[in-house]
Amino acid sequence: MAKKKNKSQNAAEPPDNPIPPSSSASTSTKTKDTKTTQPSTSALIICRNKHWRYISSFHGPWLQLPPEVLESLAHNNYNLPRPRPIDPAVFFDLLKIRQLVDEATNLAVRAASGVTSSTLTNSLNAGNGLLGNGGAALGLGLGGGGGNAKLSRERKHRMREQATQKLSKAYHLDEIACSVATMQSASTLEDVAQLVLQRNPLDADAKYVHFFHEKIPSRQLAECTSLQPLDEVIAERPSEGEILRTRAVTKIFKDDFVGAAQDLTAALQVCRYFQSQHKAGRQQLQLASEAFAEAQHNGRWKEEIKLDEEDHPSSLETQLLFHRAGVYLTIACQHVNEALPPKTSPNGANDVKAERVNGISESQPEEVERTPAEKESNRICLEARKAVKTNAKRALRDYVAYLSHFDYTPGLPAEITEEFVRKVNQAANGFKIPRPQNHSRSLDLESNSSLSNGQLSDALVPQNGLHSSRNRQHSGTARSELPSLPPPVVYQISALFSATPPADLPAYPETATALTTKQQLPTTQSEAAKAILAQTDCHEALTYHPLLTDALHSLLLCHCLVQTSSRELQRHAHMVARLARVCDGYPIFQAARSPSRADWIEVVRRGDNWIQLQQSWESLCAPAPLPGQVSPNPQKETPAEKKERLKQQAIMEALEDDRVHDEASFHAAVAARQRRQEEEARKADGKEMPKRWAQEDGKEYPISTERAAAIVRWVREAPIGGEAAGPRKKKRAGAKGKGKAKSSVEDSMSGLNVDDSNDFEPVEEEVD
C-alpha cells in the first residue's frame, strides 16, 4: 500500500517519533514577524492519530499482506488448538480494519479524482502493491482521468460519506491498529471526514474520524485538542463504549486520569452488557470449534470452521482493561512523592532501613507532642500512601483480568515426549509399531497418570469412535502407524501469577537457554526424531497480543507499589521473563517497544537488584533457541570489538528514545547509556565501589522516567504496610507480626473481584 506523502507540508516522520526541528520552540515563541502572510513551516503539522500511544506495537507485515491472505491466516489461527499463536480477537480486528481502510481509500481516491470504478481498477492494477503506483498517483491527485464519465458533486459526497462510515467502523474496532493502517494509506483519507463535515456538520461518524485526522502541531496534542467533538458523539450514541475509550485515551494525554478511569469503567459496563446478550450462542460456537480443533490436532484437517463476522470475538474488553490498568498505575505513581515527604532527621537513611528490616513503621515517639501542622502533614501523607496502595491494587486487578484472556502451555511432559521420540526412532529403524488399541499408557489420552503433575488438561479430549474409525481408515498408510502426540496442557496466563502456580512448569531460569521442556534432544537420536519433535507443539508457547509485553512488565511495577515481598516478586519476575522470551508475534507483528519494560529495567538497576536476580533482565528475556536448534559457539570478542558493539547498542537505544528530539539530546542520551555500560562492566569485574541511595548517575540526561523514579523511591523509602504509621499502629505491631509475615499479594487483594470492576469508585477510596 502506498505510503502517504503530503507535499504541501513537511515530510511525515515515523509514527512513534513525530520530532519537531530543534529550533521550532524558539521560532514559534520568539518570532513576531508580520510582514509575511505564509504560515510558519518550523513546526511540524501532523494528524492527531500519529500521536497515539503504543503505535509501534501494531507495526508488522499485516499492513502489506493481501486481504485474502490475511483472511485465510485469521481463520487458520482461530481453528488451531490452544494456545493459538495470535489472539483471535485481535487478528479478526486487523483483518476487518484492513478491509475497511482499503475500501475507504478506494472511495476517497475516486471521489477526489472524479474517476469511475472501472477506470480506478485499471489504474490500480497497473502498479505494484495493494494500491500500486496508480493508486498513489490518484491519492495525490496526479492522474486517473482516463475515463469520460465524470462524477457529480452529490455522488462524490455520498462516496465520501461511505468512506467516513467505514473509517469510523475501523476506529471503533481498534483505534491504535486503525491509526497505523491509515498512515500507510493514501493521504486523501486525511481530509475525507472534514469534507463531509463541511456539508453536514452533525454527522457523528465524520466527527469521530476527523478527531483522529485533524492536523495539529507535533507533540502538542494536549494543548491543541478539545473534547467537545467526542462529547457530542457520546451524547448522540451513549451505547458505544468505543467512543468512551477514545475520550479516555485523550484524557490521559491531558493528565485527567480520574476522568479517564471513569470513562473506561463506563465503557466496560457497556461492553459487558452487550457481551452478555450474545454470550450463550458464542460460547457454544467457541466450544464446538475448540473441540473440533483438538480432535483434529494431528494436522489432518478435513474442513475448517469459518466464522461469520457477527460471531468474531471482540477485543474491546481487553483494550479497556489494559488502558484502565495503566491509568490506575499512573495515579498510584503520582501520589508517591506526596506519600514520602523528605525526612528531617539527620539519620533518615538509617530509619528507613530499620523500617524495612523490622516490618513496622517507626514514627515519632509517643511522648513527643505533635503540632497541628505536623498532624495535618502526617494525615496527608497517610492518605497519599493509601492512594498509592489502593490504585496499585486496582491496576494489578485489571492487568490480571487482561492476562486471563490469553493462554500459555509449558509443552508436553518429559515422559510423553521421550516415549514419542523412542517410537519415532523405532519406526525410522524399520521396527513396526503396534496398532493403537493397546498403546502405551504414556500416550493414553484417557489416563491421568501419564502427565507429570497427575492432572488432565481441559485441552485433552478422549478418543471417540469417530477418531478411532478415522485411524482405521488410514491404517493402510505408514502415517497412521506413526505415534501421535496429545495436545499439551494449557493454562490461562493469569494463573501463572496466582498464589499457587502450576506445578508442571519447566524450571526457570536454570534452563533459560532451552525451549524444550525438561529435556534436551541427545545427539545420538535420529534426525527424523528431531525434525518431527521440532515441528510439534511440545515446547513452551503462548497466545500473542501486541500489548502483552507491556502488560507483563507493568504487572511487576504494580507489585513494587503493592509491596510484594522480594522473594515473591522474584518469582513473578522470573515468570514474566519466561513469558517474554517466547512472546513473539511473527510473522504478523514486529517486535514492540515497551515503556514498562524500560521502566522495570531501570527500577531493578537503581534498586540495586533488591530481588536478587541472578542474571541481567536482557539475558533472562533473551529468545530461546527452537527445539533441536543448537546455539553456535560464540567467538572470542576482542576489547575493540566489544567497545564498538556497545557503542552501536547505545546509539540504537538512543534513537528509539522518544525524548531524543535534537542533536544535543541525542549525544546526551548516548553518553548516558555508555556510562551505564561502564558501570555494569565494573560490577561484573567486581570493581564497583559501594554507593548510597542518594547517588545518581547521568544527571545531565537521566534515562529514568518520572514513573520509574517514583517507583524506585517507593521501594527505597516506603514503610512496610504503606498505611501503617503512628503510635497506634506501633502498639499492635506485635500482634499482627506473624500474619503480615505470611501474607502475600493475593491476601492483600482478597477483596478485589475482577468481575466487580463494573462499579467505579472514587480513586481515593479503599478497595478492600
Side-chain angles (χ1 to χ4, degrees):
M1 185 175 292
K3 295 186 178 179
K4 58 184 177 182
K5 295 181 180 178
N6 194 341
K7 295 188 176 181
S8 63
Q9 301 169 356
N10 293 342
E13 298 178 359
D16 284 336
N17 296 304
I19 305 172
S22 58
S23 60
S24 61
S26 60
T27 304
S28 59
T29 56
K30 296 181 180 180
T31 301
K32 298 183 179 180
D33 188 7
T34 59
K35 296 181 180 180
T36 60
T37 58
Q38 297 179 353
S40 174
T41 59
S42 59
L44 183 64
I45 307 298
I46 59 177
C47 292
R48 183 177 285 112
N49 62 358
K50 287 187 173 69
H51 296 81
W52 232 243
R53 307 177 69 198
Y54 302 106
I55 282 181
S56 66
S57 301
F58 285 83
H59 285 170
W62 71 273
L63 294 164
Q64 286 77 36
L65 289 174
E68 57 273 10
V69 175
L70 199 62
E71 181 178 8
S72 176
L73 292 175
H75 286 286
N76 289 337
N77 177 77
Y78 181 80
N79 285 295
L80 288 175
R82 298 168 54 205
R84 299 178 177 95
I86 308 292
D87 177 38
V90 170
F91 213 148
F92 282 123
D93 282 351
L94 298 183
L95 169 63
K96 289 180 284 189
I97 288 172
R98 272 292 309 278
Q99 293 173 339
L100 291 168
V101 172
D102 289 353
E103 294 170 0
T105 302
N106 185 292
L107 291 168
V109 168
R110 288 170 53 195
S113 304
V115 297
T116 60
S117 59
S118 59
T119 305
L120 178 65
T121 302
N122 295 332
S123 300
L124 298 185
N125 292 337
N128 298 322
L130 296 182
L131 281 180
N133 297 331
L138 290 174
L140 295 174
L142 301 179
N148 295 326
K150 293 184 179 180
L151 300 178
S152 64
R153 180 178 301 179
E154 187 63 27
R155 186 177 177 186
K156 290 181 180 179
H157 176 68
R158 290 199 303 267
M159 292 169 63
R160 292 191 178 104
E161 280 186 331
Q162 294 176 10
T164 302
Q165 292 169 3
K166 293 180 181 297
L167 288 176
S168 177
K169 186 177 180 181
Y171 277 112
H172 274 69
L173 291 170
D174 193 314
E175 57 195 17
I176 306 176
C178 186
S179 296
V180 178
T182 54
M183 292 175 197
Q184 306 297 319
S185 186
S187 59
T188 313
L189 285 183
E190 295 180 356
D191 303 323
V192 64
Q194 184 178 8
L195 294 175
V196 173
L197 288 175
Q198 290 178 0
R199 294 191 59 179
N200 185 6
L202 301 180
D203 190 308
D205 288 323
K207 288 181 182 179
Y208 186 53
V209 174
H210 183 60
F211 178 82
F212 289 100
H213 292 177
E214 184 181 10
K215 294 180 175 61
I216 60 174
S218 175
R219 301 203 177 202
Q220 297 183 27
L221 187 146
E223 301 86 350
C224 303
T225 299
S226 171
L227 295 176
Q228 182 179 355
L230 296 178
D231 295 339
E232 295 174 355
V233 177
I234 292 174
E236 183 177 348
R237 301 177 177 180
S239 61
E240 295 183 358
E242 297 86 352
I243 316 296
L244 289 168
R245 174 202 64 201
T246 302
R247 189 172 69 175
V249 175
T250 309
K251 288 182 178 180
I252 293 175
F253 282 106
K254 290 177 167 291
D255 294 334
D256 181 11
F257 297 101
V258 175
Q262 293 173 343
D263 281 347
L264 292 169
T265 301
L268 274 170
Q269 293 176 345
V270 174
C271 173
R272 287 169 176 166
Y273 171 77
F274 284 106
Q275 280 184 349
S276 64
Q277 305 299 314
H278 308 282
K279 189 174 183 180
R282 282 192 50 197
Q283 276 187 344
Q284 294 175 1
L285 179 64
Q286 186 174 5
L287 291 175
S289 63
E290 290 181 357
F292 174 81
E294 292 164 0
Q296 303 293 338
H297 177 73
N298 294 322
R300 294 188 293 272
W301 279 276
K302 296 298 182 183
E303 58 179 344
E304 293 184 353
I305 296 178
K306 188 172 183 179
L307 296 180
D308 296 330
E309 183 175 346
E310 58 269 16
D311 296 323
H312 288 174
S314 172
S315 65
L316 178 60
E317 183 176 1
T318 57
Q319 297 174 37
L320 298 175
L321 288 171
F322 177 84
H323 287 308
R324 194 174 70 167
V327 168
Y328 285 144
L329 178 58
T330 302
I331 294 175
C333 294
Q334 286 180 334
H335 286 86
V336 167
N337 290 331
E338 189 180 15
L340 301 173
K343 290 185 176 295
T344 57
S345 59
N347 57 345
N350 296 332
D351 292 342
V352 173
K353 183 176 180 180
E355 289 175 358
R356 300 197 66 83
V357 171
N358 298 330
I360 60 175
S361 176
E362 295 292 346
S363 60
Q364 297 180 6
E366 290 187 45
E367 60 272 8
V368 177
E369 186 67 24
R370 295 182 178 180
T371 64
E374 291 175 341
K375 291 180 180 180
E376 178 64 16
S377 176
N378 184 66
R379 184 190 65 80
I380 295 176
C381 181
L382 292 180
E383 290 182 354
R385 292 180 185 177
K386 186 177 180 180
V388 171
K389 299 289 288 294
T390 300
N391 288 283
K393 291 177 182 179
R394 284 196 175 109
L396 193 58
R397 173 198 59 193
D398 282 350
Y399 280 125
V400 170
Y402 166 86
L403 295 176
S404 66
H405 288 77
F406 314 112
D407 297 328
Y408 164 83
T409 178
L412 292 177
E415 300 85 21
I416 293 181
T417 54
E418 290 173 358
E419 180 72 7
F420 176 80
V421 172
R422 183 183 66 82
K423 290 194 174 185
V424 171
N425 277 323
Q426 291 179 354
N429 294 327
F431 293 96
K432 186 176 181 180
I433 300 177
R435 293 283 182 87
Q437 285 94 354
N438 298 321
H439 56 275
S440 173
R441 288 177 59 86
S442 60
L443 288 179
D444 188 1
L445 299 184
E446 299 178 353
S447 173
N448 294 355
S449 60
S450 62
L451 300 180
S452 299
N453 63 343
Q455 297 178 355
L456 185 64
S457 167
D458 294 337
L460 300 181
V461 181
Q463 294 184 5
N464 51 28
L466 177 62
H467 189 71
S468 301
S469 63
R470 183 178 289 110
N471 285 338
R472 286 195 296 269
Q473 292 175 3
H474 296 79
S475 59
T477 62
R479 182 182 180 93
S480 62
E481 296 181 355
L482 291 177
S484 60
L485 287 173
V489 61
V490 177
Y491 301 102
Q492 290 181 336
I493 293 182
S494 57
L496 306 182
F497 298 94
S498 61
T500 56
D504 63 338
L505 301 182
Y508 192 84
E510 287 75 14
T511 58
T513 58
L515 194 57
T516 54
T517 58
K518 301 184 180 179
Q519 50 103 18
Q520 283 286 351
L521 293 177
T523 57
T524 58
Q525 291 179 347
S526 67
E527 295 298 327
K530 293 181 182 180
I532 294 178
L533 189 58
Q535 295 175 4
T536 56
D537 293 332
C538 61
H539 53 81
E540 292 183 81
L542 53 76
T543 301
Y544 181 84
H545 188 276
L547 303 175
L548 180 59
T549 300
D550 199 78
L552 289 171
H553 289 85
S554 298
L555 190 79
L556 299 179
L557 299 179
C558 292
H559 278 292
C560 293
L561 297 177
V562 174
Q563 295 184 315
T564 303
S565 65
S566 57
R567 182 177 180 181
E568 189 77 1
L569 183 53
Q570 183 195 63
R571 179 175 72 85
H572 291 313
H574 285 160
M575 195 67 70
V576 169
R578 174 203 303 276
L579 298 175
R581 69 191 184 112
V582 297
C583 187
D584 187 8
Y586 181 83
I588 304 301
F589 295 100
Q590 294 177 356
R593 297 198 297 268
S594 169
S596 295
R597 182 178 186 269
D599 284 349
W600 167 251
I601 294 175
E602 184 67 11
V603 168
V604 173
R605 186 188 74 87
R606 296 180 62 186
D608 201 18
N609 192 17
W610 82 101
I611 59 175
Q612 301 299 316
L613 295 176
Q614 299 301 319
Q615 305 176 38
S616 67
W617 192 248
E618 291 81 356
S619 300
L620 288 173
C621 298
L626 295 175
Q629 179 181 358
V630 180
S631 301
N633 295 327
Q635 298 179 355
K636 189 70 175 179
E637 189 178 34
T638 63
E641 293 175 343
K642 181 179 180 181
K643 182 178 180 180
E644 181 63 23
R645 176 177 58 83
L646 294 177
K647 179 181 178 181
Q648 294 298 325
Q649 179 180 344
I651 292 175
M652 294 304 298
E653 291 178 356
L655 289 175
E656 294 180 354
D657 198 325
D658 292 341
R659 292 162 294 174
V660 174
H661 56 85
D662 54 20
E663 186 175 359
S665 60
F666 170 74
H667 289 297
V670 173
R673 283 167 171 80
Q674 288 179 330
R675 286 195 298 271
R676 177 179 296 181
Q677 292 172 353
E678 294 175 358
E679 174 188 342
E680 294 175 352
R682 289 194 300 269
K683 287 184 178 180
D685 297 337
K687 301 177 182 179
E688 178 67 18
M689 297 298 293
K691 292 185 177 181
R692 296 187 180 273
W693 283 110
Q695 292 178 323
E696 297 181 2
D697 294 329
K699 292 183 179 180
E700 301 85 358
Y701 188 82
I703 300 176
S704 177
T705 62
E706 293 182 2
R707 181 173 69 172
I711 296 175
V712 168
R713 189 184 177 201
W714 180 265
V715 171
R716 298 173 183 174
E717 303 176 16
I720 296 298
E723 301 90 0
R728 295 182 180 178
K729 294 291 182 180
K730 182 178 179 181
K731 291 181 180 179
R732 294 187 292 180
K736 291 187 177 181
K738 296 182 180 179
K740 283 192 175 183
K742 297 180 180 180
S743 64
S744 63
V745 66
E746 287 77 15
D747 299 327
S748 64
M749 294 178 61
S750 59
L752 297 179
N753 189 344
V754 174
D755 295 334
D756 294 338
S757 59
N758 288 340
D759 301 327
F760 177 78
E761 302 172 355
V763 178
E764 290 77 10
E765 293 184 7
E766 183 57 67
V767 175
D768 293 340

